Amino acid sequence: MAKVTLPDGKTREYPDGTTVLQVAESIGKKLAKDAVIGVVNEKPVDLFFKVTGDVKLKIVTRQQPESLDHLRHTCAHIMAQAVLRLFPNTKLAIGPPIEDGFYYDMDPEKPFTPEDIEKIDAEMQKVLASNFPCERFELPRTEAIERCRKEKQDYKVEMLGEWTDEKVSFYTQGDFTDLCRGPHLPSTGAVPAVKVLKATGAYWRGDEKNKMLQRLYGTAWWSKEDLEKYLHRIEEAKKRDHRKLGKELDLFSIHEEIGGGLVHWHPRGSMIRHVMEQEWYADHVKRGYLLVNTPHIASEEIYRISGHLEAYKELMFGSMLIEERPFRVKPMNCPGHIMIYKSKLHSYRELPMRLAEFGTVYRFEKSGVLHGMLRVRGFTIDDAHIFVTPQSVEKEIIEVFNFAVEWLGKFGFKDLAIYLSTRPEKSVGATSDWEKTEAALRNALVNAGVKFQVDEGGGAFYGPKIDVKVRDSLGREWQCSTVQFDFNLPSSGRFDLSFVGEDGNRQQPYMVHRALMGSVERFFAVLTEHYGGAFPAWLSPTQATVIPIADSHIEYAHSVAAQLRGAGFRVDVDARNERTGHKIREATLLKTPYMLVVGEKEVAAKQVAVRERSGKDLGVMDVARFRELLGEEVRAKK
RNA sequence: GCUGGCGUAGCUCAGCUGGCAGAGCACCUCCUUGGUAAGGAGGAGGUCGUGGGUUCAAAUCCCAUCGCCAGCUCCA
């Protein structure tokens, strides 16, 4: 007899050899219908797994999110089956589930074309319709290698050669058998909705020294509706692509003639940036930061001292000789801020000393990774370096962390993910320093009472860090704020920083690098996609457009605009020889928050007819009333 | 960088079994003075990314090159 303990602690008995599915059936019809896989003694198993002896059993149903992984994993195999039917000489590598879908890396004779993708998708649907049962069998590893070698599945042979398991499992579904740990859905017909999306290149094992394989991506869901919803979400993300919106809304451009990854901010984009910068400066002054500015190139020597030349070389632009002395375009702002700190002797009373700058830096990124404003070669960091006594470093880190949370909140980012990143492989400094500072950051987070995850090995080469990622309106995560500890640059081997302590002796300060937005370009791209281009009034480059109905109303339109500009608002007049509907359409497409239509009636009554970009009509009101309304919205950053 | 796809007017794109380079929007001129998402007419605008080749003839076919786009962490 098998004694089965269920998650609620209840125990049931079955004859040995009863399958997980049969157990589910004995509990309830619905459970059996929704069952996807079982978990026996913490190990995922197929529904036809036979239970014997004392076991703990959990049944994973479609309602549980992890069931999607198993669905998608099964789909990866079905996709491979479809590919082998169409292209029999394809060699298979690996096919895991990923967020929202799955992929299978394979090595076909010829790369897949878009038409192939459609064929593969159609073939997959046939496999689903055939409803092949997915059957598991095991082989000793050596026999498995033999089998895969015969089938010329070189990648499987390579993987099998590296494993140490005595036995490995295969799954067969119809005319297709593949090495797989499982578990799988019971049959190919159990897949309700699946679609092959695209093919791209991917290196075998992600290593560029290895052969480039073809990676086929697909997505799968428990219902057609979920699949549709997902495809719709992809469409929505495409519509919000900052590169597309950047063009449509005339925000920025990148020019081949000038170079990839170098951003030109157009007047409308630049206005948004300007508003953000003004807010940033004001907030920093409020919090006791000191504003500085530093040069864009520096003698190579400074980067030798800082260690960048050594640890960061491949990301720095080449050397240029100026009067026989080598210079570099700056990849970092820290050395400049450090030189300002070092320009005189400091007392412990002055610390923490917080030097802040919108520092533009240039880093050599490989051409293939450039991506609109998200990944560029020249960008501006909203940078600050804080020189602090060892005693108050933890307090200061909490302070910075709170600042970051407040700042991101202004842009509607309330859902934050916090990461503590520890020592990477390529790093400088003593182990004891790393341990001490990692503990300081950890304490700061614990004391601030926030939940965080640890990213092992994700730190900068000079110290551990705290990263803050925001979740945008489409649920995607973006890295923004960073608080990085640095015990390297202040050290005697580097810049040898000091302050005079209470006892009159020189001591070494700690240093914290921090950025709230990270790269202004990147943050701007994230914001554009987050808002879908409909920037809130406080950020919008044009806050209102005055639309005169006919030429005779132009003069009044200008006087309305002048009044509003006088109150500090950004207002345009659309005096073109076009119909009202045309002007409204264009202002709406530019996502201007308000349109103020003025015609004969408004001129006579000294009023404006207010329309929101959503199309909502707010009616006719005095200019002063609109000024209040917009003023309130801007102040509240709604 | 690597693999695949794509480069045609300022923008979005059609043309690509080789045979006179197109549309819509935007721009300019004129008409129209119109009340809430495109008023009408006309005009100007491109050595089809660049270089080479095949051909009587190349936007179209071939080669090279540059740029853009997707992907290159997720281990059966």
Side-chain angles (χ1 to χ4, degrees):
Chain A
M1 289 298 267
K3 211 170 102 191
V4 175
T5 309
L6 297 164
D8 61 6
K10 286 192 187 128
T11 305
R12 286 168 171 251
E13 295 203 344
Y14 298 91
D16 273 339
T18 304
T19 66
V20 172
L21 184 62
Q22 285 164 340
V23 173
E25 279 164 351
S26 76
I27 297 172
K29 239 189 216 165
K30 175 119 173 53
L31 182 69
K33 196 171 136 259
D34 290 344
V36 177
I37 59 149
V39 180
V40 169
N41 297 334
E42 316 294 325
K43 236 188 82 194
V45 298
D46 300 300
L47 286 181
F48 49 74
F49 180 85
K50 296 184 170 81
V51 290
T52 41
D54 276 11
V55 293
K56 266 170 57 188
L57 172 68
K58 193 175 94 181
I59 290 165
V60 177
T61 65
R62 294 179 174 205
Q63 282 72 31
Q64 285 155 307
E66 70 255 41
S67 69
L68 278 171
D69 280 352
H70 301 290
L71 165 68
R72 289 164 183 166
H73 175 225
T74 303
C75 286
H77 284 264
I78 296 172
M79 185 167 69
Q81 179 172 13
V83 169
L84 280 187
R85 283 175 162 203
L86 296 167
F87 310 98
N89 294 323
T90 305
K91 292 173 183 172
L92 302 176
I94 56 167
I98 51 172
E99 196 176 350
D100 294 333
F102 57 91
Y103 67 77
Y104 210 126
D105 281 350
M106 38 185 102
D107 190 5
E109 288 177 303
K110 271 182 285 180
F112 297 120
T113 64
E115 295 78 56
D116 292 340
I117 305 279
E118 281 175 35
K119 275 189 224 152
I120 293 165
D121 193 69
E123 194 64 32
M124 260 186 101
Q125 303 304 332
K126 282 191 211 160
V127 175
L128 299 196
S130 302
N131 197 17
F132 297 122
C134 305
E135 292 161 324
R136 177 191 174 97
F137 66 92
E138 291 187 349
L139 284 182
R141 193 166 57 92
T142 46
E143 281 180 39
I145 292 176
E146 211 35 58
R147 183 189 167 108
C148 290
R149 186 168 289 143
K150 257 189 231 147
E151 291 173 352
K152 299 206 166 56
Q153 288 296 349
D154 306 347
Y155 299 96
K156 303 285 181 187
V157 172
E158 186 180 330
M159 284 186 282
L160 280 165
E162 289 166 14
W163 297 346
T164 52
D165 318 46
E166 277 188 21
K167 280 189 166 180
V168 298
S169 57
F170 286 80
Y171 279 78
T172 298
Q173 51 202 45
D175 53 355
F176 175 73
T177 297
D178 193 10
L179 176 69
C180 181
R181 182 175 286 152
H184 278 194
L185 302 193
S187 70
T188 61
V191 174
V194 61
K195 188 171 166 63
V196 184
L197 296 175
K198 58 187 172 184
T200 63
Y203 298 103
W204 169 230
R205 302 190 158 173
D207 187 337
E208 58 184 313
K209 288 184 206 85
N210 287 339
K211 181 165 186 191
M212 171 81 59
L213 306 178
Q214 289 287 304
R215 175 169 295 180
L216 268 180
Y217 283 91
T219 187
W221 302 84
W222 286 124
S223 70
K224 292 253 180 330
E225 295 78 62
D226 284 354
L227 173 63
E228 286 306 316
K229 252 191 257 165
Y230 170 70
L231 295 175
H232 183 259
R233 208 169 81 217
I234 297 181
E235 283 307 306
E236 188 57 27
K238 256 189 218 160
K239 267 190 242 161
R240 287 168 178 248
D241 189 312
H242 73 282
R243 291 165 301 183
K244 186 170 181 295
L245 287 172
K247 220 177 258 177
E248 288 171 3
L249 303 179
D250 198 10
L251 302 175
F252 72 96
S253 57
I254 294 169
H255 303 270
E256 191 188 322
E257 298 88 329
I258 287 182
L262 302 169
V263 176
H264 297 72
W265 294 72
H266 293 200
R268 287 171 51 84
S270 207
M271 180 55 80
I272 297 170
R273 174 172 173 164
H274 173 79
V275 173
M276 281 164 47
E277 285 178 350
Q278 293 312 305
E279 183 79 8
W280 189 92
Y281 282 128
D283 282 1
H284 280 70
V285 171
K286 261 185 230 161
R287 286 182 177 259
Y289 282 75
L290 306 171
L291 305 179
V292 298
N293 288 287
T294 59
H296 289 81
I297 62 169
S299 162
E300 208 168 276
E301 190 53 28
I302 205 87
Y303 300 114
R304 193 160 288 126
I305 296 173
S306 70
H308 286 122
L309 213 49
E310 207 183 325
Y312 218 72
K313 195 169 189 171
E314 65 278 17
L315 277 176
M316 288 174 73
F317 281 102
S319 188
M320 53 190 144
L321 278 184
I322 297 175
E323 290 177 330
E324 287 166 47
R325 193 176 167 201
F327 277 69
R328 293 279 186 148
V329 177
K330 77 171 166 183
M332 291 278 192
N333 299 305
C334 11
H337 292 187
I338 286 172
M339 295 319 283
I340 293 172
Y341 178 87
K342 271 186 75 135
S343 66
K344 64 178 193 174
L345 196 56
H346 296 283
S347 155
Y348 72 94
R349 295 171 192 276
E350 292 172 68
L351 305 187
M353 182 169 158
R354 311 175 182 98
L355 302 181
E357 173 185 15
F358 274 107
T360 302
V361 299
Y362 293 86
R363 296 180 187 174
F364 173 71
E365 300 280 0
K366 287 181 183 175
S367 61
V369 305
L370 299 178
H371 185 94
M373 269 186 160
L374 281 172
R375 192 86 179 262
V376 293
R377 285 184 175 155
F379 59 99
T380 301
I381 305 174
D382 66 314
D383 216 348
H385 294 91
I386 302 171
F387 303 91
V388 59
T389 62
Q391 293 75 24
S392 49
V393 68
E394 213 174 287
K395 180 166 166 272
E396 186 64 19
I397 285 168
I398 294 174
E399 188 84 357
V400 169
F401 179 75
N402 289 337
F403 191 3
V405 171
E406 179 194 291
W407 177 262
L408 297 173
K410 290 188 180 191
F411 301 90
F413 297 125
K414 308 281 186 192
D415 186 2
L416 307 175
I418 322 293
Y419 296 83
L420 171 66
S421 303
T422 59
R423 184 171 196 168
E425 271 178 44
K426 201 172 174 185
S427 62
V428 296
T431 305
S432 62
D433 281 331
W434 278 90
E435 284 168 358
K436 232 188 299 173
T437 52
E438 282 174 11
L441 289 178
R442 193 181 293 267
N443 284 342
L445 284 177
V446 169
N447 290 336
V450 294
K451 277 193 190 152
F452 63 94
Q453 288 169 270
V454 176
D455 177 8
E456 294 292 347
F461 75 86
Y462 45 74
K465 60 178 183 169
I466 295 170
D467 288 326
V468 181
K469 291 187 185 177
V470 303
R471 193 177 283 280
D472 75 7
S473 56
L474 292 183
R476 301 169 300 180
E477 269 193 10
W478 304 95
Q479 147 101 55
C480 290
S481 310
T482 180
V483 184
Q484 311 188 346
F485 206 97
D486 191 338
F487 45 80
N488 173 48
L489 293 179
S491 71
S492 55
R494 301 289 180 191
F495 287 104
D496 195 18
L497 302 186
S498 68
F499 67 92
V500 179
E502 239 171 310
D503 58 1
N505 290 323
R506 292 203 184 190
Q507 298 178 32
Q508 199 174 93
Y510 280 173
M511 185 174 151
V512 175
H513 307 245
R514 55 107 275 194
L516 306 182
M517 296 183 269
S519 148
V520 176
E521 282 74 6
R522 188 186 156 78
F523 191 75
F524 180 80
V526 171
L527 272 190
T528 303
E529 303 201 356
H530 176 58
Y531 291 128
F535 291 95
W538 76 283
L539 286 170
S540 195
T542 304
Q543 295 170 319
T545 296
V546 188
I547 300 176
I549 287 175
D551 288 357
S552 54
H553 316 126
I554 291 177
E555 199 187 323
Y556 175 69
H558 280 297
S559 83
V560 169
Q563 284 178 63
L564 291 168
R565 287 194 194 117
F569 297 114
R570 302 182 290 275
V571 179
D572 285 344
V573 176
D574 188 348
R576 291 175 307 163
N577 179 11
E578 289 292 349
R579 296 182 121 82
T580 312
H582 187 85
K583 296 179 189 177
I584 284 179
R585 174 181 158 82
E586 301 216 328
T588 306
L589 290 176
L590 281 175
K591 304 188 196 287
T592 306
Y594 292 101
M595 284 149 254
L596 310 177
V597 178
V598 296
E600 213 172 317
K601 282 179 278 180
E602 287 75 17
V603 173
K606 300 255 175 257
Q607 291 186 313
V608 289
V610 183
R611 179 189 164 110
E612 284 183 0
R613 63 183 157 202
S614 64
K616 192 174 163 198
D617 183 1
L618 298 189
V620 179
M621 62 183 80
D622 292 341
V623 179
R625 173 76 196 103
F626 176 72
R627 207 167 57 206
E628 269 171 45
L629 188 141
L630 179 56
E632 176 48 35
E633 189 175 338
V634 167
R635 261 191 305 281
K637 300 192 166 53
K638 273 188 266 186

